[in-house]
């Protein structure tokens, strides 16, 4: 197992004073670069997909973040942890799959938003990085939910799991891409969000995210209120039409 330590920054935090979901991908990318540098991971390996499971909020502290990585064939498994007093607390787990990119069918008749790329989204080869891709999907979710789900207050839900699949290389372009979002499942305390990023050539990347009800006061998960469920089910029904 490869261990890599990273110092947290104030800029890593979100409005709840937790490390932002996307920053976990940044920590993982730093460790992945160290694996390449140490000759444990091929620099030419193509990332086809990344899934993240968030276990508990990570707050700013003096201790470094530990990324514990192990490789099994074309799969890289990483834990984002804090090691202290002889024990390890895991805050998130990531699974990165290497391989060829597979095409995906476009999900039609969904809410669409323009999504502009920035030069800073690109890596040295000119492709959008996986971390920035997670950030684009997060942006699409936040914008769609803010405009269509006024029953869900800021901080009233958090991301439980998120999986992103790459279907084509994404390069910088002046014209915005299109982000299409829909609700695919609604439960008593969680719901699933689907998002696709596309352009005139087809689907570039897709994401499936499980959002979980959250109480900022207790810092624990919670069931949704009836008015929240009503709006979520309305969007679910619209997506099924």
């Amino acid at each position: 197992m490869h261990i890599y330590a990273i110092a947290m920054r104030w800029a890593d935090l979100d409005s709840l004073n937790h490390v932002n979901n996307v920053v976990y991908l940044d920590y993982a990318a730093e460790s992945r670069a160290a694996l390449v540098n140490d000759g444990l991971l091929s620099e030419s390996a193509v990332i086809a997909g990344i899934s993240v499971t968030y276990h508990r909020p990570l707050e700013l502290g003096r201790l470094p973040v530990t990324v514990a990585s192990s490789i099994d064939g074309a799969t890289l498994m990483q834990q984002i942890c804090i090691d202290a007093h002889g024990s390890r607390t895991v805050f998130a787990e990531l699974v990165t799959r290497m391989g060829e990119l597979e095409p995906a069918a476009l999900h039609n008749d969904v809410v669409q938003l323009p999504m502009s790329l920035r030069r800073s989204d690109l890596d040295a080869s000119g492709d959008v990085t996986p971390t920035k891709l997670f950030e684009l999907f997060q942006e699409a979710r936040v914008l769609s939910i803010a405009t269509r789900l006024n029953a869900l207050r800021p901080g009233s839900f958090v991301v439980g799991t998120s999986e992103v699949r790459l279907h084509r290389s994404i390069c910088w372009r002046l014209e915005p891409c299109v982000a299409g979002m829909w609700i695919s499942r609604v439960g008593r305390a969680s719901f699933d969000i689907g998002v696709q990023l596309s352009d005139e050539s087809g689907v570039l990347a897709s994401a499936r995210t499980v959002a979980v009800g959250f109480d900022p006061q207790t810092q624990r998960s919670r069931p949704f209120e009836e008015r929240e469920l009503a709006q979520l089910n309305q969007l679910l029904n619209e997506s099924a039409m």
Side-chain angles (χ1 to χ4, degrees):
M1 180 170 286
H2 178 86
I3 302 297
Y4 187 74
I6 305 172
M8 280 191 274
R9 300 175 178 176
W10 279 106
D12 294 347
L13 305 184
D14 61 17
S15 59
L16 295 173
N17 288 324
H18 300 158
V19 169
N20 189 291
N21 291 334
V22 174
V23 176
Y24 289 89
L25 276 295
D26 214 11
Y27 296 158
E30 288 291 313
S31 176
R32 200 163 57 242
L35 292 172
V36 171
N37 186 66
D38 293 343
L40 300 175
L41 190 65
S42 172
E43 187 174 9
S44 61
V46 176
I47 295 176
I50 300 178
S51 61
V52 187
T53 301
Y54 300 95
H55 294 297
R56 53 181 57 82
L58 175 56
E59 299 178 345
L60 184 69
R62 295 179 179 274
L63 294 173
V65 175
T66 297
V67 184
S69 304
S70 60
I71 303 171
D72 182 9
T75 302
L76 170 64
M77 292 158 287
Q78 296 172 294
Q79 291 183 330
I80 310 298
C81 327
I82 295 291
D83 291 337
H85 311 298
S87 64
R88 168 170 293 173
T89 303
V90 178
F91 293 87
E93 294 182 284
L94 293 87
V95 177
T96 301
R97 181 174 56 85
M98 316 290 179
E100 295 187 9
L101 307 187
E102 300 177 355
L106 185 65
H107 197 101
N108 295 312
D109 302 324
V110 296
V111 174
Q112 295 185 336
L113 297 169
M115 193 62 56
S116 297
L117 302 179
R118 298 177 180 175
R119 294 284 185 176
S120 58
D121 294 336
L122 311 182
D123 59 18
S125 68
D127 292 335
V128 173
T129 70
T131 300
K132 291 298 184 178
L133 189 54
F134 266 81
E135 186 174 299
L136 290 169
F137 280 124
Q138 176 175 267
E139 187 76 8
R141 290 196 309 269
V142 170
L143 288 174
S144 294
I145 290 173
T147 55
R148 305 184 69 207
L149 283 170
N150 53 37
L152 285 176
R153 304 176 303 278
S156 63
F157 68 94
V158 294
V159 173
T161 63
S162 189
E163 179 183 10
V164 167
R165 295 184 179 183
L166 288 82
H167 306 295
R168 300 170 185 261
S169 295
I170 307 175
C171 305
W172 184 85
R173 47 183 284 155
L174 184 61
E175 302 81 10
C177 298
V178 175
M181 193 203 92
W182 64 94
I183 303 296
S184 58
R185 181 193 65 86
V186 174
R188 185 64 194 173
S190 66
F191 63 98
D192 292 0
I193 307 169
V195 185
Q196 286 183 333
L197 190 68
S198 63
D199 63 9
E200 62 279 354
S201 68
V203 180
L204 301 170
S206 58
R208 176 183 174 274
T209 298
V210 178
V212 180
F214 184 75
D215 186 340
Q217 299 299 320
T218 64
Q219 295 286 296
R220 294 181 179 276
S221 60
R222 65 170 183 90
F224 291 117
E225 299 173 2
E226 292 303 324
R227 61 192 184 91
E228 295 172 325
L229 287 171
Q231 280 199 352
L232 286 168
N233 280 303
Q234 180 180 351
L235 293 183
L236 175 65
N237 293 333
E238 290 177 4
S239 301
M241 295 176 66

